[in-house]
Amino acid sequence: SIRRQRQMCIRDRILSESVDSFVTRYIDTGEQVVSVSENGSKTLKCWEYLNTHLQTQSASDAEEIVPGVKYEQVTMTNAQGNIVTAYVLVAEAGAGWELKAATHPDYRKGSPVVSTVLNTAQLLQKTGQDVLFACNGGFFRMNDHNYPEGVLIKDGQSYTHVNNGLGETGSCFFGVTKAGEYVAGDYGVLQSVYSDLWQAVGGRGWLLKDGQLNDICFGDGDALGENRHPRTAVGWRENGDLIFAVVDGRQDGYSDGVNLCDLALLMQSYGAVGAQNLDGGGSSTFVTKNADGTLSVKNKPSNANNALRAVGDCLVLVRKV
């Protein structure tokens, strides 16, 4: 049958990709035991064969927003000569900031209101909060009422109406517990920590686990993970520093974007021990506070004329009161 032929083609492709993964990992690390497993409609595999070997060509001087919170623009090339431009912010633990999930003020559970990252940050600023940085957060259903795909928790309150607040079963997440600990993971991890989350947004592709590349496939074939696109990621170091990366893409001569393996390796290069892929594409936006107190977008979103996309939720750093 057509269905059986399709299943056989999928399995042939999986076998081919698994062989590529094994050969690449063996050459790079000498590891001889590489497991590949299938779980329902998801195929989990090693992604080393997607490593395009990004090399930094230049980096701007680190721009300090406040002491302990800095960002830089990094230009890289891969083995094929593609140019990649990324914006990376490091917020040192104990530097007087806190992380929040944020939305438009009119956002309600079951009735989302989308807003650009810049607008959301500016509206939060108008409430008296000192916004230092903001980026886009979780994936959302643009063609279905802008519902969040995954979990969305702000100050301990859930804004996701699917599966008792957990979101769609295929989603991953990044969050902060009520005790201030960072956590990322798949749906199973989310279920185990959900009641302890204070802030959380959804994602696809759990990039780093215990400092190592995780099985970051999030769908059959997973062209979204394998191809180069604009990306946004969040991660943390063992000492509690937070790391945010926005990689621009789809702009020849400026930045072609990265696949999920390269994104994971980028986060790892900054010392992240845990990291989560967030919404990307035209949503990827990197906003920082300027010396005069205003907020502005530093990257070049991939939309026409670098226009800002209205998104469902954001991650925001604010100064602690």
Side-chain angles (χ1 to χ4, degrees):
S1 68
I2 295 177
R3 181 179 180 182
R4 180 171 177 79
Q5 289 177 342
R6 180 177 180 274
Q7 290 175 335
M8 291 177 65
C9 288
I10 291 172
R11 292 184 179 277
D12 287 345
R13 189 194 65 248
I14 291 169
L15 177 62
S16 174
E17 292 172 346
S18 300
V19 171
D20 289 341
S21 292
F22 172 82
V23 171
T24 305
R25 178 174 282 202
Y26 179 77
I27 292 173
D28 285 352
T29 69
E31 183 178 348
Q32 299 182 39
V33 180
V34 179
S35 62
V36 179
S37 61
E38 188 171 345
N39 181 12
S41 62
K42 282 190 174 183
T43 302
L44 306 180
K45 57 188 179 236
C46 304
W47 283 68
E48 284 81 354
Y49 73 101
L50 291 176
N51 181 0
T52 67
H53 300 283
L54 289 173
Q55 297 290 326
T56 299
Q57 302 302 315
S58 64
S60 66
D61 293 335
E63 185 79 21
E64 185 179 78
I65 301 172
V66 294
V69 181
K70 301 178 180 179
Y71 74 93
E72 61 183 359
Q73 177 184 339
V74 183
T75 301
M76 301 167 280
T77 56
N78 61 22
Q80 291 75 44
N82 301 100
I83 299 174
V84 176
T85 299
Y87 297 79
V88 182
L89 181 138
V90 176
E92 297 176 4
W97 50 264
E98 63 178 316
L99 179 68
K100 290 180 174 288
T103 64
H104 188 279
D106 295 333
Y107 195 110
R108 298 290 183 270
K109 187 173 185 176
S111 183
V113 175
V114 294
S115 171
T116 69
V117 175
L118 180 60
N119 185 54
T120 299
Q122 289 171 332
L123 290 171
L124 193 60
Q125 194 178 51
K126 288 181 178 179
T127 67
Q129 301 195 59
D130 188 0
V131 177
L132 307 176
F133 166 79
C135 69
N136 56 295
F139 288 79
F140 62 104
R141 295 294 183 186
M142 296 177 64
N143 298 318
D144 184 14
H145 302 87
N146 296 309
Y147 292 139
E149 285 188 6
V151 66
L152 174 56
I153 296 175
K154 300 192 302 177
D155 297 335
Q157 182 177 348
S158 172
Y159 287 79
T160 307
H161 69 292
V162 177
N163 292 333
N164 296 316
L166 293 167
E168 298 173 18
T169 57
S171 295
C172 297
F173 80 104
F174 165 78
V176 185
T177 68
K178 295 170 184 175
E181 297 176 347
Y182 303 119
V183 60
D186 58 18
Y187 201 74
V189 176
L190 174 61
Q191 289 176 308
S192 68
V193 301
Y194 178 74
S195 61
D196 292 326
L197 290 174
W198 183 245
Q199 313 284 345
V201 297
R204 298 180 191 167
W206 181 7
L207 300 175
L208 294 176
K209 179 183 179 183
D210 299 326
Q212 302 301 312
L213 266 69
N214 192 44
D215 287 321
I216 55 180
C217 179
F218 57 78
D220 177 37
D222 202 12
L224 285 175
E226 296 170 358
N227 295 342
R228 291 190 296 271
H229 290 291
R231 307 277 185 186
T232 300
V234 58
W236 68 94
R237 293 172 176 158
E238 193 168 4
N239 66 355
D241 295 349
L242 269 185
I243 303 166
F244 297 89
V246 168
V247 182
D248 282 335
R250 303 173 185 167
Q251 300 173 70
D252 291 342
Y254 164 66
S255 188
D256 290 328
V258 290
N259 62 43
L260 284 186
C261 180
D262 284 338
L263 184 63
L265 291 170
L266 175 65
M267 297 298 288
Q268 189 183 60
S269 74
Y270 278 85
V273 294
Q276 174 63 53
N277 175 54
L278 302 174
D279 191 11
S283 298
S284 287
T285 311
F286 190 98
V287 170
T288 66
K289 179 184 175 182
N290 302 312
D292 63 1
T294 61
L295 297 167
S296 64
V297 178
K298 297 300 188 292
N299 73 310
K300 297 180 181 179
S302 62
N303 308 301
N305 300 315
N306 303 126
L308 302 183
R309 172 183 289 173
V311 299
D313 55 75
C314 310
L315 287 175
V316 180
L317 286 182
V318 299
R319 182 127 43 175
K320 279 186 178 179
V321 178

